Amino acid sequence: MRAARLDHTDWRILQVLQEDGRITNIELARKVGITAPPCLRRVRALEEAGIIERYMAVLDGRKLGFDVTAFAMVKLHSQAEADLIAFEERALQSPIVQECSMLSGEIDFLLRCVAPDLTRFQSFIIHDLTAAPNVESVKTSLVIRTAKEAAGLPLALAAEDA
Amino acid sequence: MRAARLDHTDWRILQVLQEDGRITNIELARKVGITAPPCLRRVRALEEAGIIERYMAVLDGRKLGFDVTAFAMVKLHSQAEADLIAFEERALQSPIVQECSMLSGEIDFLLRCVAPDLTRFQSFIIHDLTAAPNVESVKTSLVIRTAKEAAGLPLALAAEDA
DNA sequence: GATGAAACACTGACGCT
DNA sequence: AGCGTCAGTGTTTCATC
């Protein structure tokens, strides 16, 4: 589903809400140059359309004891659709998997993983990934540091027509 | 910096706010079983401590015209700290780079990229990445589908002591 | 898109346990 | 230390133009 055409105000609303999801509607309205009621109507419409999927608090994993972030690159033996889906569903079972992307090319899946310690991560890799059916190989890389973490979409790149 | 010890209520607050960053304080308080004022005090403390980094709206990239998501795996010639930092800073210049992680192992950097189309993505890879100093190789993989996108931390894994 | 009004939420001060 | 009650202020949200 593609959205109805967005105007400049909508883009600015999205930009601001992506930066600060808890901004009050009044301040948001002020920032985009309209008054509160139409601003709220626009936000609701963007939510309805699924353009705004949800709002979330971004937490600091390190401060909460998630000392390990890692990527797992998975190759499967079979790339038949049913087999891809089967693997995906299995990967999603684990709370350790934060993000699961199906890729084109040599690697079939890239998993972003978070764990409290290496032991838990390793046991996930061995018992849940390597041991899963159809898995040919799993290569893991620990994240040493993350410079920019899921910062949000670069809306300026797509808002040129508004 | 490590945070002060969190109790069960704090963990539930984090869990709820990660799910719904725009929940009203009153409803949040109700969900975690206390009244609004102490609940708000806890939230503010969690923000102060940097445990809650920020709040954001999660947007649907596809509906906004970001048809391409891809990962770029970069190897450098030199892994000296200054060279790693130099590359990182350069990568962060581009709005296309959504996430930039320094890795251990063969691959030095993994970049999560978003672009409106393949042309823009390709031009980024060629002009900004491959042409950058110290870059040995860049391998890219397009994301065919994302099953679970940066869903947030699996707080249950770390909250066992509270 | 703006105005005004009513319902609701936020957030301070204070007392309690 | 931390929770709860109360009350003033600001915000959300609806009807209306």
Side-chain angles (χ1 to χ4, degrees):
Chain A
M1 172 217 177
R2 171 114 318 181
R5 199 159 184 75
L6 304 179
D7 67 8
H8 182 64
T9 305
D10 289 318
W11 284 103
R12 298 213 11 225
I13 287 174
L14 293 174
Q15 220 156 350
V16 173
L17 283 178
Q18 201 177 228
E19 283 295 310
D20 178 3
R22 279 212 94 152
I23 193 173
T24 65
N25 181 54
I26 288 185
E27 199 182 343
L28 173 61
R30 195 185 52 71
K31 282 200 181 186
V32 305
I34 56 177
T35 54
C39 185
L40 187 64
R41 283 198 291 267
R42 280 166 181 269
V43 172
R44 292 284 177 267
L46 291 166
E47 290 167 357
E48 282 292 312
I51 292 173
I52 298 173
E53 287 179 4
R54 49 188 285 260
Y55 301 88
M56 68 179 290
V58 180
L59 308 181
D60 184 331
R62 285 239 146 65
K63 288 184 181 155
L64 289 167
F66 291 89
D67 292 329
V68 177
T69 304
F71 286 95
M73 299 160 197
V74 181
K75 286 189 202 183
L76 302 181
H77 285 113
S78 152
Q79 280 82 25
E81 184 165 1
D83 295 322
L84 291 171
I85 302 291
F87 174 83
E88 187 180 272
E89 282 182 2
R90 176 150 182 163
L92 292 181
Q93 300 293 318
S94 173
I96 283 184
V97 175
Q98 226 190 353
E99 186 176 328
C100 172
S101 308
M102 192 186 294
L103 303 184
S104 73
E106 256 187 88
I107 295 161
D108 294 305
F109 281 95
L110 182 65
L111 274 46
R112 188 186 213 274
C113 306
V114 194
D117 51 61
L118 274 176
T119 310
R120 311 256 319 233
F121 176 62
Q122 204 173 4
S123 114
F124 161 70
I125 295 296
I126 294 173
H127 296 114
D128 294 304
L129 281 190
T130 311
N134 193 30
V135 170
E136 183 184 317
S137 73
V138 179
K139 280 194 187 176
T140 65
S141 283
L142 295 176
V143 173
I144 298 171
R145 57 181 256 176
T146 303
K148 190 182 194 175
E149 193 157 2
L153 298 165
L155 297 181
L157 278 188
E160 287 155 352
D161 46 356
Chain B
M1 170 216 178
R2 172 114 316 183
R5 200 161 184 73
L6 303 179
D7 67 8
H8 183 63
T9 306
D10 289 317
W11 283 104
R12 295 206 24 216
I13 287 174
L14 293 174
Q15 221 156 352
V16 173
L17 283 178
Q18 201 177 228
E19 282 295 310
D20 178 3
R22 279 213 96 157
I23 193 173
T24 65
N25 180 56
I26 287 185
E27 200 183 342
L28 173 60
R30 197 185 52 71
K31 282 200 180 185
V32 305
I34 56 179
T35 54
C39 184
L40 188 64
R41 284 196 288 268
R42 280 165 181 269
V43 172
R44 292 284 176 266
L46 291 165
E47 290 167 356
E48 282 291 312
I51 292 173
I52 298 174
E53 287 178 6
R54 47 188 286 261
Y55 301 88
M56 68 180 290
V58 179
L59 309 181
D60 184 330
R62 284 240 147 65
K63 287 184 181 156
L64 290 167
F66 291 89
D67 292 328
V68 176
T69 304
F71 286 94
M73 300 160 197
V74 181
K75 286 190 203 182
L76 302 181
H77 286 114
S78 152
Q79 280 83 24
E81 185 166 1
D83 295 323
L84 293 171
I85 303 290
F87 174 83
E88 187 181 271
E89 283 181 2
R90 176 150 183 163
L92 293 180
Q93 300 294 319
S94 174
I96 283 183
V97 175
Q98 226 190 355
E99 186 176 328
C100 172
S101 307
M102 193 186 293
L103 303 185
S104 73
E106 256 186 88
I107 295 162
D108 294 306
F109 280 95
L110 182 65
L111 273 48
R112 188 186 214 274
C113 305
V114 241
D117 50 62
L118 273 176
T119 309
R120 309 258 318 232
F121 176 63
Q122 205 173 4
S123 113
F124 161 71
I125 295 298
I126 295 172
H127 297 113
D128 294 303
L129 280 190
T130 310
N134 193 30
V135 170
E136 184 184 315
S137 73
V138 179
K139 279 195 186 174
T140 66
S141 283
L142 294 177
V143 173
I144 298 171
R145 58 180 256 176
T146 303
K148 190 183 197 175
E149 194 158 1
L153 298 165
L155 296 182
L157 278 190
E160 288 154 352
D161 46 355

